[in-house]
């Protein structure tokens, strides 16, 4: 999900550049260090700390709702605060410190994002967790196509090995096209550009503004952490504490409409756009406010009253498959749209090159950025050798981990991966939408349909992870190259930072997952850590095996409606123009509350309301302080998860249960 930093990040970048004047630009070019000096021990240490903390936070968000906001800007801010505080402290103690440059800031941000991205996209709450026995049982042990052979329990060893072999392939796949996509095609990559604007802003603003951001972050970090500690004392049993506070009454509470006092989600709501948060609330109202109460009334006619609520042939089946219909409708539309726009755009550029036409000449600043970006090249042979080496290792290792996924499927995937990675990275450069999950879903359906029935689910889920990881990592790398291009950071330093961050992430992500998996009841549909996408992905695979026969009664007809709704909303958004399109919700986001509930949507809408009111009262201060305040709220309660998990593992329970019952 893309984070909105400015209405037009390109204009923001140009304005920031123009503000510096010619002398400022010239001094900036002179100050740029060689790539070996942009990588520092201080920077790597800060990256590992920030990346590890964000891995835990991202894992918590992933396992609770499956919705993780783009934390790139927050990571850049935290890197700035961390190193700035470090250097100021050492200077006060009488030590001489190395100046903190925008290049080092970019390197830390890149490394930290590469690290926590493994927690977000590693499949711990979706395709990998979808293989375990609990998800198999929730999908219905008697469901056709849900084979008991298609079960693989999470393991630290095989998960870490899987991440290493699939994620590193993605780092090498698009290296030969770095110049083409960033310099020649001049793709925008709005999130990468916005991060660069923010980092450049950090290093041109005065010390007074930096102090305010540091103070704001520390203030709300402390509040969030202490508030999480306070809440813990009242959560002695299930359905206890402030996280189950019936804010709008017990009837609304039963339909999951309440404020759960979670600072992490309020902070996430401050980072996400208003459209995302309102789409979540609309999805919650549509599902728990309308659809599920109506479907509950037809119990006994559409599905047996004797079935448990978690049975896939009862109400829970409708919840799962209607959310799948929304996700597939939205994903298919955007997949086709971006694929077509990519083909048209490439054709247009090729035609323009053949006729000798060219766009307006680049400004001197952009020419200088191009020169610095191309000065320290990454050898072509490194990309080719790296891709072939890791693809070979992966082809040998993955069938050993998943015997159901045959070696010839893996080879076919890696033959297709470069073209898929290019299409995805090109589309993301135009639209800021990373479609890696949709490429993974296509692989899931194809492999589930063509594999032997007893192997189909694991083959589909593992193949989905393979394609998704390669395509996603390649896209993230290209987005970070855009940030490097605009902050005059060496591509070599950027690539090494990605390697370090990915390696650390392949270790910290499984450790973060098992911290939650061992301490809490992960995957319980009635618990805190519902991991809704694990069930969604397994049932997508079942659909690939069995087709529509896996659906409950009348579910197919309702799914048609939701699938059509997703496509219709996207059509109106694209055809209706800005005046109409800006009011259209995001169907894929609407699907999240279908399984999770409405409580976290209320938290995130509160975050949106805070940003909106703050912007009306003092726009300039809001733009400066919102990232710091949101990061503090997210990191404080997110970090409390570590001691909470340790206490749970030690069997130390909260002393009080605060619960509300009808009078």
């Amino acid at each position: 999900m893309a984070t909105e930093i400015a209405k037009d990040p390109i204009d923001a970048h140009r304005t920031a550049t123009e503000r510096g004047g010619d002398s400022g630009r010239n001094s900036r070019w002179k100050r740029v260090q060689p790539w070996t000096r942009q990588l520092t021990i201080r920077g790597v240490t800060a990256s590992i700390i920030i990346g590890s903390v964000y891995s835990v936070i991202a894992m918590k968000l992933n396992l609770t709702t499956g919705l993780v906001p783009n934390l790139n800007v927050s990571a850049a801010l935290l890197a700035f605060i961390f190193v700035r505080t470090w250097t100021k402290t050492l200077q006060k103690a009488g030590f001489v410190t190395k100046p903190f440059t925008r290049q080092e800031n970019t390197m830390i941000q890149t490394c930290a994002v590469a690290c926590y991205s493994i927690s977000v996209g590693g499949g711990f709450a979706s395709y990998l967790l979808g293989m375990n026995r609990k998800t198999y049982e929730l999908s219905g042990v008697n469901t056709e196509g849900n084979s008991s052979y298609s079960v693989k329990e999470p393991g630290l060893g095989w998960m870490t090995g899987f991440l290493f072999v699939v994620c590193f392939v993605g780092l090498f796949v698009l290296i030969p096209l770095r110049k083409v996509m960033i310099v020649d095609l001049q793709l925008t990559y709005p999130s990468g550009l916005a991060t660069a604007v923010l980092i450049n802003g950090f290093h041109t603003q005065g010390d007074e503004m930096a102090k305010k951001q540091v103070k704001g972050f520390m203030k709300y970090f402390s509040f969030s952490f202490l508030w999480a500690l306070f809440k813990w004392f009242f959560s002695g049993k299930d359905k206890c504490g402030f996280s189950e506070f019936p804010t709008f009454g017990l009837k609304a509470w039963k339909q999951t409409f309440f404020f759960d006092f979670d600072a992490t989600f309020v902070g996430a709501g401050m980072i996400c756009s208003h459209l995302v948060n309102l789409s979540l609330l609309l999805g919650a109202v549509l599902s728990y406010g309308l659809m599920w109460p109506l479907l509950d009334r037809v119990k006994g006619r559409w599905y047996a009253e004797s079935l448990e609520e978690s049975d896939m042939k009862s109400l829970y089946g409708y919840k799962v498959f209607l959310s799948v219909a929304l996700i597939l409708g939205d994903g298919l539309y955007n997949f086709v749209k971006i694929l077509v726009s990519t083909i048209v755009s490439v054709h247009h550029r090729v035609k323009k090159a053949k006729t000798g036409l060219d766009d307006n000449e680049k400004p001197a600043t952009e020419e200088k950025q191009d020169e610095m970006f191309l000065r320290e090249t990454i050898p072509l042979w490194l990309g080719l050798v790296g891709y072939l080496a890791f693809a070979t290792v992966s082809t040998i290792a993955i069938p050993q981990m998943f015997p159901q996924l045959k070696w010839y499927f893996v080879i076919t995937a890696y033959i297709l991966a470069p073209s898929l990675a290019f299409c995805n990275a090109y589309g993301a450069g135009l639209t800021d939408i990373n479609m890696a999950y949709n490429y993974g879903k296509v692989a899931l359906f194809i492999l589930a349909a063509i594999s032997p029935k007893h192997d189909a689910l694991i083959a589909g889920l593992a193949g989905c992870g393979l394609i998704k990881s390669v395509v996603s990592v390649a896209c993230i790398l290209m987005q970070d190259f855009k940030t490097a291009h605009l902050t005059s950071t060496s591509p070599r330093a950027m690539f090494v930072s990605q390697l370090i961050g990915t390696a650390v992430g392949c270790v910290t992500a499984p450790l973060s997952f098992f911290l939650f998996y061992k301490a809490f009841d992960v995957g319980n549909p009635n618990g805190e850590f519902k991991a809704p996408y694990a069930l969604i992905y397994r049932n997508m695979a079942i659909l690939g095996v069995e087709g529509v026969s896996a659906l409950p009664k009348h579910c197919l007809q309702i799914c048609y409606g939701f699938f059509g709704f997703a496509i219709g909303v996207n059509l109106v958004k694209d055809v209706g123009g800005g005046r109409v399109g800006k009011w259209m919700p995001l169907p894929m986001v609407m699907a999240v509350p279908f399984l999770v509930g409405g409580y976290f949507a209320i938290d995130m809408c509160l975050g949106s309301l805070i940003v909106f009111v703050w912007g009306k009262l003092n726009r300039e201060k809001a733009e400066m302080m919102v990232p710091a305040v949101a990061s503090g709220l997210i990191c404080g309660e997110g970090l409390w998860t570590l001691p909470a998990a340790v206490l749970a593992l030690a069997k130390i329970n909260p002393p009080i249960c605060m619960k509300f019952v009808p009078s």
Side-chain angles (χ1 to χ4, degrees):
M1 190 189 316
T3 309
E4 288 189 354
I5 305 303
K7 287 187 177 178
D8 190 342
I10 299 173
D11 289 342
H13 164 62
R14 286 175 180 157
T15 304
T17 305
E18 289 162 6
R19 197 182 298 133
D22 291 335
S23 60
R25 285 194 295 266
N26 291 335
S27 61
R28 173 180 160 189
W29 307 133
K30 290 175 185 175
R31 286 198 301 269
V32 176
Q33 300 170 325
W35 75 275
T36 50
R37 298 193 65 187
Q38 291 178 21
L39 288 165
T40 62
I41 295 174
R42 174 179 71 185
V44 172
T45 304
S47 303
I48 292 172
I49 293 170
I50 295 169
S52 299
V53 169
Y54 273 44
S55 287
V56 175
I57 294 167
M59 191 63 71
K60 179 198 172 184
L61 293 170
N62 225 355
L63 292 173
T64 47
T65 65
L67 185 72
V68 183
N70 188 328
L71 299 171
N72 293 19
V73 169
S74 180
L77 174 65
L78 204 57
F80 178 76
I81 290 171
F82 189 93
V83 179
R84 199 68 178 264
T85 306
W86 184 343
T87 54
K88 291 288 184 185
T89 304
L90 290 176
Q91 285 170 2
K92 286 180 180 178
F95 293 96
V96 178
T97 60
K98 183 180 177 182
F100 181 44
T101 63
R102 73 188 74 212
Q103 288 77 32
E104 188 178 4
N105 201 158
T106 304
M107 186 278 293
I108 297 170
Q109 184 265 343
T110 298
C111 190
V113 168
C115 179
Y116 89 76
S117 293
I118 308 296
S119 282
V120 177
F124 297 99
S126 52
Y127 46 85
L128 294 184
L129 187 60
M131 300 177 186
N132 78 339
R133 181 159 293 279
K134 180 178 285 186
T135 311
Y136 155 72
E137 291 171 353
L138 284 171
S139 299
V141 293
N142 297 319
T143 301
E144 287 292 325
N146 188 29
S147 170
S148 59
Y149 295 102
S150 295
V151 172
K152 188 175 180 68
E153 290 296 326
L156 184 61
W158 73 259
M159 281 182 158
T160 305
F162 178 75
L163 291 174
F164 267 104
V165 295
V166 299
C167 290
F168 274 86
V169 176
L171 288 175
F172 292 91
V173 66
L174 290 182
I175 284 179
L177 298 175
R178 175 178 63 90
K179 174 182 176 293
V180 173
M181 302 188 82
I182 302 299
V183 178
D184 297 341
L185 298 178
Q186 300 177 53
L187 296 176
T188 309
Y189 290 101
S191 286
L193 189 147
T195 306
V197 169
L198 192 78
I199 290 173
N200 286 332
F202 288 156
H203 294 271
T204 53
Q205 67 187 13
D207 279 346
E208 191 61 34
M209 192 177 290
K211 285 178 183 176
K212 286 180 180 178
Q213 288 176 322
V214 171
K215 187 178 178 181
F217 172 81
M218 294 307 299
K219 177 181 176 181
Y220 285 94
F221 172 85
S222 303
F223 165 76
S224 180
F225 186 87
L226 293 173
W227 173 244
L229 169 63
F230 176 75
K231 287 197 304 177
W232 178 81
F233 283 99
F234 297 90
S235 56
K237 294 181 180 178
D238 289 339
K239 304 292 182 183
C240 286
F242 284 92
S243 60
E244 296 288 338
F245 195 92
T247 325
F248 310 113
L250 287 171
K251 282 188 176 180
W253 174 80
K254 286 179 181 177
Q255 296 299 330
T256 73
F257 288 100
F258 56 90
F259 176 54
D260 72 344
F261 296 91
D262 194 312
T264 302
F265 287 121
V266 175
M270 293 176 72
I271 288 177
C272 292
S273 69
H274 298 317
L275 181 60
V276 167
N277 297 329
L278 292 174
S279 296
L280 285 170
L281 188 60
L282 178 61
V285 171
L286 183 63
S287 56
Y288 280 87
L290 182 65
M291 290 295 299
W292 305 163
L294 288 175
L295 286 169
D296 193 51
R297 291 184 179 182
V298 295
K299 184 189 293 184
R301 286 180 287 160
W302 287 18
Y303 55 94
E305 291 190 34
S306 58
L307 292 174
E308 293 184 15
E309 191 176 332
S310 60
D311 195 297
M312 290 302 293
K313 293 294 184 183
S314 71
L315 178 60
Y316 203 64
Y318 293 92
K319 292 182 180 182
V320 171
F321 288 113
L322 294 185
S323 61
V324 168
L326 271 181
I327 290 168
L328 291 181
D330 191 33
L332 181 65
Y333 178 88
N334 283 292
F335 180 80
V336 173
K337 170 188 159 185
I338 290 175
L339 199 61
V340 170
S341 66
T342 299
I343 293 168
V344 170
S345 179
V346 170
H347 174 73
H348 176 70
R349 289 179 184 273
V350 170
K351 188 176 178 181
K352 186 182 285 187
K354 284 181 178 178
T355 57
L357 295 174
D358 198 2
D359 294 323
N360 296 329
E361 288 187 12
K362 293 183 181 180
T365 304
E366 294 184 21
E367 292 281 3
K368 195 69 179 177
Q369 287 172 339
D370 291 349
E371 180 190 329
M372 299 198 70
F373 186 71
L374 300 173
R375 184 183 296 169
E376 294 176 333
T377 60
I378 300 173
L380 178 64
W381 65 263
L382 181 65
L384 296 174
V385 171
Y387 184 76
L388 290 173
F390 279 105
T392 302
V393 171
S394 185
T395 304
I396 296 168
I398 287 179
Q400 301 297 318
M401 299 176 194
F402 307 102
Q404 299 90 339
L405 185 62
K406 306 304 180 186
W407 62 269
Y408 43 85
F409 288 145
V410 179
I411 290 176
T412 304
Y414 283 130
I415 291 171
L416 296 174
S419 57
L420 298 178
F422 171 78
C423 290
N424 184 53
Y426 190 96
L430 295 172
T431 64
D432 205 31
I433 301 173
N434 186 343
M435 300 293 291
Y437 277 104
N438 290 313
Y439 286 96
K441 287 166 195 165
V442 172
L444 185 154
F445 281 115
I446 292 172
L447 287 168
I450 65 177
S451 297
K453 201 167 184 177
H454 59 281
D455 292 339
L457 293 193
I458 296 293
L461 292 168
C464 167
L466 187 154
I467 289 290
K468 183 260 155 200
S469 296
V470 174
V471 172
S472 179
V473 169
C475 181
I476 291 169
L477 177 63
M478 205 55 61
Q479 195 173 67
D480 284 337
F481 274 140
K482 183 67 177 182
T483 304
H485 178 247
L486 296 173
T487 56
S488 307
T489 304
S490 166
R492 290 187 183 182
M494 181 67 74
F495 183 63
V496 173
S497 299
Q498 280 276 351
L499 287 172
I500 296 169
T502 302
V504 173
C506 288
V507 175
T508 58
L511 290 174
S512 300
F513 171 74
F514 276 97
L515 179 71
F516 290 96
Y517 197 71
K518 296 294 184 183
F520 306 107
D521 188 12
V522 173
N524 180 358
N526 298 313
E528 181 183 359
F529 297 94
K530 297 176 175 66
Y533 280 100
L535 194 61
I536 286 173
Y537 270 75
R538 189 174 185 96
N539 279 278
M540 282 184 188
I542 291 171
L543 275 178
V545 176
E546 290 297 318
V548 295
S549 63
L551 299 175
K553 191 176 181 181
H554 298 302
C555 189
L556 179 62
Q557 290 82 354
I558 306 175
C559 282
Y560 283 149
F562 276 81
F563 186 87
F565 169 79
I567 292 176
V569 164
N570 280 292
L571 276 171
V572 172
K573 185 183 295 183
D574 290 335
V575 176
R579 186 172 294 180
V580 178
K582 69 179 182 179
W583 298 106
M584 291 297 104
L586 304 171
M588 195 171 292
V589 176
M590 286 177 62
V592 177
F594 277 38
L595 286 176
V596 178
Y599 61 91
F600 83 99
I602 293 170
D603 295 351
M604 294 186 72
C605 282
L606 178 62
S608 253
L609 182 63
I610 291 169
V611 173
F612 178 77
V613 173
W614 199 351
K616 289 292 183 183
L617 295 175
N618 191 334
R619 184 177 182 83
E620 188 176 329
K621 186 176 180 182
E623 287 178 354
M624 179 184 74
M625 293 301 298
V626 160
V629 172
S631 299
L633 291 174
I634 291 170
C635 292
E637 184 147 355
L639 203 60
W640 164 251
T641 306
L642 288 171
V646 171
L647 290 170
L649 289 170
K651 306 297 182 186
I652 299 173
N653 296 317
I656 304 168
C657 173
M658 182 177 72
K659 194 168 186 176
F660 295 84
V661 295
S663 57

